[in-house]
Amino acid sequence: MIKKTLAALMAFFALSCWAAVDVNTATAADLDSIKGIGPGTSGKMLEERKASPFKNWADLVDRVPGIGDKRASKLSSEGLTVNGEAYKPGSTAGNVEKKPAKASK
């Protein structure tokens, strides 16, 4: 009986370690705990979040320099979420702003 109780407790704690970190509610330490996010990236995320919370992954990719589709996918697999949602490949497609062409002289 004790072994079963101990096993259940260990399973509970193991699952709690894999808890998702939501970019809109996380602290700098929470973000830094995600493999692939360091102090520089977490600082950029928190700075952008001050302006307004991230609506979705496309919004995060657009607003945080250094995060593209490939990196978003990796961060999501490490436990990062946006509004509780994991990254879905292709969810940011077509969301890139087109910059005006430079006028030639």
Side-chain angles (χ1 to χ4, degrees):
M1 180 68 173
I2 293 175
K3 288 182 181 180
K4 288 182 181 179
T5 305
L6 184 59
L9 284 172
M10 289 177 65
F12 172 76
F13 288 119
L15 289 174
S16 66
C17 291
W18 286 96
V21 174
D22 193 281
V23 71
N24 285 321
T25 58
T27 64
D30 293 337
L31 292 171
D32 289 343
S33 73
I34 300 290
K35 183 178 178 184
I37 297 179
T41 303
S42 63
K44 292 175 190 175
M45 290 176 168
L46 293 174
E47 200 57 38
E48 282 296 322
R49 190 176 77 188
K50 284 180 187 177
S52 65
F54 297 102
K55 298 175 206 160
N56 51 38
W57 277 97
D59 189 29
L60 177 80
V61 169
D62 283 346
R63 291 171 44 196
V64 180
I67 298 183
D69 289 335
K70 187 175 178 181
R71 189 164 180 208
S73 180
K74 286 181 182 180
L75 295 176
S76 180
S77 68
E78 293 296 331
L80 187 68
T81 63
V82 178
N83 295 323
E85 296 289 322
Y87 177 78
K88 295 171 189 71
S91 65
T92 61
N95 199 38
V96 178
E97 288 183 30
K98 294 184 179 179
K99 296 180 182 176
K102 292 183 180 178
S104 60
K105 293 182 180 183

